């Protein structure tokens, strides 16, 4: 099997390639509920070292030119910058960290994971809510073994909190093709109520805490009523060896082109943008 990509930190940044112990009970809880919070996945000192460079890069890449009140629901939800690891050295060391990747593999119970892509999701002061949605409607991969790490780079207060998850919804697979929108919030919110799914929010988070959720897990996030930016980095992983699926929507066709350059349905999902970041072998 291809070896994990070396990811030693550079420029004096802390190395993030050691292990974080995931207890069996935590992995079982993740697989049952489709989400979990793990505390201090990165230490305060590590975040303090990485955050300035990542936040500065996001500010430089931000393309929003309209004030919040002139944007649609999606535009109000967050500043969204993807694949930082290919453009910025500090982001590369953070995103390709073996520590984070091994947690993803341990929670899913797989032997290796690759990067799908990363995203900085910065919710501005006064920023709007993130509607209910399933991430995997965008992803042209037919597997239950996809997971997102969502890690704040700053403390998140109780009034902002973590994302809210519909527990057990990942077991239902595909529910709706509705992309993130007012429509998805309305229809999926009604679906959650009709199924009696329990909603979970982990409340206040410290910088370096992280939630992990499955690709099919229904989730949403509240708005940001505070005067400080909610700075979050996300990394999406998938199990090594997965095949590219035939895209059945424009969203999946767009993602196939963007995140799997040169690949077609039936190919192993392993383009130059999908490095192997953890392997047990």
């Amino acid at each position: 099997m291809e070896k994990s990509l070396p990811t030693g930190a550079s420029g004096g940044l802390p190395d993030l390639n050691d292990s974080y112990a995931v207890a069996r009970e935590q992995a079982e809880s993740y697989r049952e509920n489709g989400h979990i919070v793990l505390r201090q996945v990165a230490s305060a000192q590590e975040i303090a070292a990485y955050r300035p460079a990542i936040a500065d890069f996001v500010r430089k890449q931000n393309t929003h030119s309209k004030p919040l009140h002139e944007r649609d629901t999606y535009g109000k939800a967050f500043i969204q910058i993807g694949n930082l690891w290919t453009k910025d050295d500090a982001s590369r060391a953070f995103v390709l960290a073996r520590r984070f990747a091994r947690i993803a593999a341990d929670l899913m119970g797989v032997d290796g994971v690759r990067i799908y892509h990363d995203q900085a999701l910065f919710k501005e002061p006064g920023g709007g809510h993130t509607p209910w949605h399933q991430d995997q409607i965008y992803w042209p991969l037919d597997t239950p073994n996809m997971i997102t790490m969502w890690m704040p780079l700053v403390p998140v207060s109780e009034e902002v909190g973590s994302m809210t998850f519909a527990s057990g919804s990942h077991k239902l697979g595909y529910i709706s093709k509705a992309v993130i929108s007012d429509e998805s919030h309305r229809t999926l919110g009604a679906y959650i109520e009709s199924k009696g799914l329990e909603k979970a929010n982990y409340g206040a988070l410290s910088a370096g805490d992280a939630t992990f959720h499955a690709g099919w897990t229904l989730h949403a996030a509240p708005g940001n009523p505070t005067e400080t930016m909610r700075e979050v980095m996300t990394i999406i992983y998938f199990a090594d060896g997965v095949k590219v699926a035939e895209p059945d929507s424009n969203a999946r066709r767009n993602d196939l082109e963007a995140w799997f350059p040169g690949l077609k349905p039936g190919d192993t999902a392993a383009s130059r943008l999908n490095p192997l970041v953890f392997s047990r072998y």
Side-chain angles (χ1 to χ4, degrees), residues 54 58 74 77-82 84 117-124 130 133 135 148-153 163 180 213 219 229-236:
I54 294 173
V58 171
Y74 192 91
F78 35 61
I79 297 168
Q80 181 179 24
I81 309 295
L84 277 69
H117 63 76
D118 66 59
Q119 285 185 318
L121 299 176
F122 283 28
K123 195 177 289 284
E124 298 157 277
T130 306
H133 64 283
D135 292 334
T148 298
M149 183 186 83
W150 189 96
M151 179 183 287
L153 305 179
M163 290 185 291
I180 301 174
H213 67 274
H219 59 287
M229 183 82 78
R230 188 213 70 182
E231 301 177 10
V232 168
M233 271 298 292
T234 68
I235 308 171
I236 305 165

Side-chain angles (χ1 to χ4, degrees), residues 48-272:
Y50 280 93
R51 177 190 166 268
I54 294 173
D56 184 60
F57 185 77
V58 171
R59 281 191 292 270
K60 290 176 180 176
Q61 295 293 309
N62 178 24
T63 58
H64 280 306
S65 57
K66 294 180 179 179
L68 275 169
H69 70 273
E70 293 183 10
R71 302 181 205 164
D72 62 13
T73 298
Y74 192 91
K76 291 175 182 176
F78 35 61
I79 297 168
Q80 181 179 24
I81 309 295
N83 259 18
L84 277 69
W85 76 270
T86 66
K87 309 162 190 171
D88 174 72
D89 288 342
S91 300
R92 177 182 175 86
F94 186 88
V95 171
L96 302 186
R98 188 175 186 272
R99 182 193 304 168
F100 305 156
R102 179 166 188 162
I103 293 171
D106 287 347
L107 290 174
M108 292 190 292
V110 301
D111 289 329
V113 294
R114 292 180 178 273
I115 295 288
Y116 186 62
H117 63 76
D118 66 59
Q119 285 185 318
L121 299 176
F122 283 28
K123 195 177 289 284
E124 298 157 277
H129 72 114
T130 306
W132 285 109
H133 64 283
Q134 291 179 295
D135 292 334
Q136 205 154 333
I137 66 163
Y138 293 93
W139 303 340
L141 297 175
D142 185 16
T143 175
N145 290 321
M146 297 196 72
I147 191 171
T148 298
M149 183 186 83
W150 189 96
M151 179 183 287
L153 305 179
V154 295
V156 176
S157 66
E158 188 76 30
E159 58 188 322
V160 177
S162 76
M163 290 185 291
T164 300
F165 305 97
S167 296
S169 56
H170 64 304
K171 297 177 181 178
L172 303 173
Y174 158 77
I175 295 169
S176 168
K177 287 184 182 178
V179 296
I180 301 174
S181 61
D182 293 332
E183 178 191 357
S184 74
H185 196 67
R186 182 174 57 255
T187 59
L188 292 175
Y191 179 88
I192 290 166
E193 296 302 322
S194 71
K195 293 292 185 180
L197 298 175
E198 179 182 351
K199 290 182 280 191
N201 185 294
Y202 294 109
L205 299 173
S206 298
D209 290 347
T211 63
F212 291 79
H213 67 274
W216 286 123
T217 300
L218 284 164
H219 59 287
N224 180 7
T226 73
E227 296 182 357
T228 58
M229 183 82 78
R230 188 213 70 182
E231 301 177 10
V232 168
M233 271 298 292
T234 68
I235 308 171
I236 305 165
Y237 304 93
F238 63 91
D240 184 36
V242 168
K243 303 292 185 182
V244 176
E246 184 71 46
D248 55 0
S249 67
N250 286 335
R252 286 184 162 184
R253 279 186 283 273
N254 291 339
D255 262 31
L256 174 56
E257 182 178 347
W259 310 122
F260 297 116
L263 300 187
K264 61 184 184 301
D267 290 343
T268 299
S271 81
R272 59 181 173 80

